[in-house]
Amino acid sequence: DQQVKQNSPSLSVQEGRISILNCDYTNSMFDYFLWYKKYPAEGPTFLISISSIKDKNEDGRFTVFLNKSAKHLSLHIVPSQPGDSAVYFCAASHLHYSNYQLIWGAGTKLIIKP
Amino acid sequence: DTAVSQTPKYLVTQMGNDKSIKCEQNLGHDTMYWYKQDSKKFLKIMFSYNNKELIINETVPNRFSPKSPDKAHLNLHINSLELGDSAVYFCASSQVGPPSSYNSPLHFGNGTRLTVT
């Protein structure tokens, strides 16, 4: 029962262009969402998060958008750089559902082409 | 000076053996976790320790036992290893539980790839 879905296993984007990674969730109780980035042979590292009271959060080249009615969030990276090539995980949580433990998507592998 | 370090990085062993994975964090965090990344790449929490007390014990076989000698260490012992235990195991920590707040993101180790033959 996948409650957090990242339907694109991989995404290839030209350097300098915008990368858009998508994430869908099924449980309307989720109220906090995070993106983590993972390089090969390393653990995931926190990238950016958003609370359900917001619909946008921006941090430098990274912006996360949340559409609660569609149960959808996306991560935008502008402009994309070669160092952005990694696997990106979407995660969600809610106090009463999961005691704030994170429910993870399967990840999307982003490849930035030079 | 790695923030969250786990050893070994690779572990190959036979069915039925008992093995341990060690984890240490030097971030001064209060909460530590063990996650399992399965063959489908999903990260699933196994255990969480806050100040040496177990606060989450998800549905994992009791062959898996976490041991926390102090706040900076959380080791994972696995008895009677089975083929299905093959996975990558990640240790993580956060400043305070729960790990989802902006000010308390998870910090992960680099993982231990366990292969049971």
Side-chain angles (χ1 to χ4, degrees):
Chain A
D1 179 23
Q2 289 177 243
Q3 299 195 56
V4 177
K5 301 177 184 179
Q6 294 176 257
N7 292 320
S8 299
S10 65
L11 175 68
S12 187
V13 174
Q14 201 74 35
E15 181 180 356
R17 299 286 184 97
I18 182 171
S19 294
I20 300 176
L21 297 113
N22 293 305
C23 178
D24 297 295
Y25 60 96
T26 58
N27 193 330
S28 57
M29 292 179 69
F30 289 140
D31 60 3
Y32 208 92
F33 305 89
L34 304 91
W35 286 93
Y36 279 76
K37 174 180 179 179
K38 183 184 180 302
Y39 292 118
E42 294 184 10
T45 55
F46 172 73
L47 193 57
I48 193 170
S49 64
I50 188 167
S51 164
S52 60
I53 62 173
K54 295 185 174 181
D55 54 18
K56 176 182 174 182
N57 188 26
E58 191 172 353
D59 183 2
R61 296 186 298 114
F62 303 90
T63 303
V64 56
F65 295 92
L66 176 61
N67 182 334
K68 289 187 290 294
S69 60
K71 296 192 185 67
H72 176 84
L73 65 156
S74 60
L75 174 68
H76 292 214
I77 307 173
V78 183
S80 300
Q81 299 175 354
D84 297 329
S85 295
V87 176
Y88 290 79
F89 289 96
C90 170
S93 73
H94 182 271
L95 172 63
H96 296 298
Y97 172 73
S98 61
N99 193 31
Y100 272 143
Q101 293 309 311
L102 297 175
I103 309 300
W104 298 76
T108 295
K109 183 176 183 179
L110 177 63
I111 301 165
I112 304 301
K113 299 179 292 185
Chain B
D1 50 340
T2 306
V4 180
S5 60
Q6 53 182 110
T7 55
K9 190 171 180 65
Y10 299 97
L11 183 54
V12 181
T13 188
Q14 291 184 329
M15 284 176 56
N17 285 348
D18 303 336
K19 290 292 179 185
S20 295
I21 307 173
K22 295 185 177 181
C23 179
E24 175 181 3
Q25 55 95 3
N26 62 7
L27 297 166
H29 287 171
D30 286 334
T31 308
M32 294 184 72
Y33 311 82
W34 277 108
Y35 275 84
K36 178 181 179 180
Q37 186 177 31
D38 60 24
S39 57
K40 295 184 178 179
K41 306 300 182 185
F42 286 101
L43 278 160
K44 295 182 180 177
I45 190 166
M46 301 175 71
F47 301 104
S48 174
Y49 258 79
N50 180 273
N51 281 327
K52 298 198 295 176
E53 291 186 22
L54 181 67
I55 59 174
I56 292 177
N57 183 354
E58 294 301 305
T59 307
V60 298
N62 56 16
R63 299 181 293 105
F64 291 80
S65 56
K67 298 254 186 330
S68 181
D70 54 58
K71 197 172 78 166
H73 295 84
L74 181 63
N75 303 323
L76 182 65
H77 299 276
I78 316 170
N79 296 324
S80 303
L81 277 155
E82 300 178 357
L83 292 175
D85 297 332
S86 296
V88 181
Y89 293 84
F90 287 98
C91 176
S93 70
S94 64
Q95 187 169 9
V96 293
S100 62
S101 66
Y102 180 80
N103 291 325
S104 186
L106 286 168
H107 293 254
F108 283 87
N110 287 334
T112 296
R113 182 175 292 278
L114 171 65
T115 303
V116 182
T117 61

